[in-house]
């Protein structure tokens, strides 16, 4: 029984019942009677913690007096206490009743590689929160993480999650775009790599071999991207698809005095 639990708590102005589980309650007569200064009653987790209909109670006439003389009480949807005709257990609900859904804070961490937003800054338990992750030009999809106040992960499905009974922190890491880097020796493609944006590419195969003809010796000296030639250890970070062609330094054969 929850009868008379807060009866005549005249100085009570706000009441948080977020941790209450009333599934086994049978009567609620005079539960808040004469709490004349009580303005807000927070509840949480309908259908998991607090049932909002009379079906869980042995609904008797004396449950009519659940909210007697709660003259200051206003529910979360704006329903204000009116008279004794509306003081029964039937008003023990959020929608159209005297209860207010307890809200928890959603903290969205700042991102450096894109934008992350939630469609609300607070939500009640079991409310769906929708997230929007927009990568910058150098990144693609985001990996979103939601943690409750104890650091436990909250499942994210299709960029949305169900609010737990605690504050949450939302963060995102954006996956860098990858670009194709081709390496050529003459007309032959000798290696193809997928390199994340902003990463310096590396040719991981065997370095192009020096060679000679009857007049000259050709020494491998670097790579050319069609516009600029770079030493092997001076390649720029990748910002787009690129093809590098091996560059050789040419020198005439040198013969000593016979």
């Amino acid at each position: 029984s929850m009868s008379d639990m807060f009866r005549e708590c005249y100085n009570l102005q706000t009441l948080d019942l977020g941790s209450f589980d009333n599934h086994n309650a049978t009567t609620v007569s005079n539960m808040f009677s004469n709490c004349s200064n009580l303005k807000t009653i927070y509840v949480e987790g309908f259908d998991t913690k607090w049932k909002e209909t009379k079906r869980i109670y042995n609904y008797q006439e004396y449950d009519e007096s659940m909210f007697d003389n709660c003259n200051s009480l206003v529910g979360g949807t704006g329903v204000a206490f009116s008279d004794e005709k509306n003081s029964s257990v039937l008003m023990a609900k959020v929608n159209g009743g005297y209860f207010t859904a307890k809200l928890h804070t959603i903290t969205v961490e700042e991102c450096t590689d894109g934008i992350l937003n939630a469609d609300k800054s607070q939500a009640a338990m079991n409310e769906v929160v929708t997230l929007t992750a927009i990568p910058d030009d150098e990144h693609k999809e985001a990996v979103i993480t939601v943690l409750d106040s104890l650091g436990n992960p909250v499942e994210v499905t299709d960029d949305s999650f169900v609010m737990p009974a605690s504050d949450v922190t939302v963060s995102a890491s954006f996956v860098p775009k990858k670009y194709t880097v081709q390496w050529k020796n003459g007309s032959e493609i000798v290696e193809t790599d997928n390199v994340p944006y902003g990463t310096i590419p590396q040719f991981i195969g065997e370095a192009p071999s020096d060679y000679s003809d009857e007049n000259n010796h050709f020494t491998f000296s670097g790579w050319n991207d069609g516009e600029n030639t770079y030493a092997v250890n001076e390649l720029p970070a990748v910002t787009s698809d690129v093809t590098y062609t091996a560059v050789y330094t040419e020198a005439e054969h040198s013969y000593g005095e016979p």
Side-chain angles (χ1 to χ4, degrees), residues 74-140:
V74 180
T77 58
V79 176
F81 179 85
S82 56
D83 55 46
E84 298 310 315
K85 294 180 181 179
N86 292 313
S87 64
S88 78
V89 66
L90 298 180
M91 300 301 289
K93 56 186 178 180
V94 171
N95 294 323
Y98 296 147
F99 285 165
T100 298
K102 184 177 181 180
L103 299 179
H104 299 284
T105 300
I106 302 166
T107 301
V108 179
E109 293 187 343
E110 186 175 353
C111 299
T112 58
D113 301 320
I115 299 172
L116 178 63
N117 291 315
D119 66 343
K120 49 184 71 73
S121 60
Q122 291 183 313
M125 181 182 176
N126 294 333
E127 188 174 354
V128 175
V129 180
T130 300
L131 305 171
T132 302
I134 304 174
D136 60 20
D137 292 340
E138 293 80 34
H139 294 78
K140 49 181 183 178

Side-chain angles (χ1 to χ4, degrees), residues 44-45 49 102-106 123-129 146-150 152-155 161-169:
E44 183 164 64
K49 283 189 174 182
K102 184 177 181 180
L103 299 179
H104 299 284
T105 300
I106 302 166
M125 181 182 176
N126 294 333
E127 188 174 354
V128 175
V129 180
V146 180
L147 300 176
D148 67 16
S149 59
L150 297 178
N152 299 312
V154 177
E155 183 178 359
F161 66 94
V162 177
M163 193 71 181
S166 76
D167 296 344
V168 297
T169 301

Side-chain angles (χ1 to χ4, degrees), residues 2 20-26 45-51 56-57:
M2 291 185 174
F20 272 47
D21 186 331
N22 72 336
H23 279 54
N24 295 319
T26 56
F46 289 120
D47 294 327
T48 57
K49 283 189 174 182
W50 188 286
K51 294 285 188 179
I56 69 158
Y57 300 113

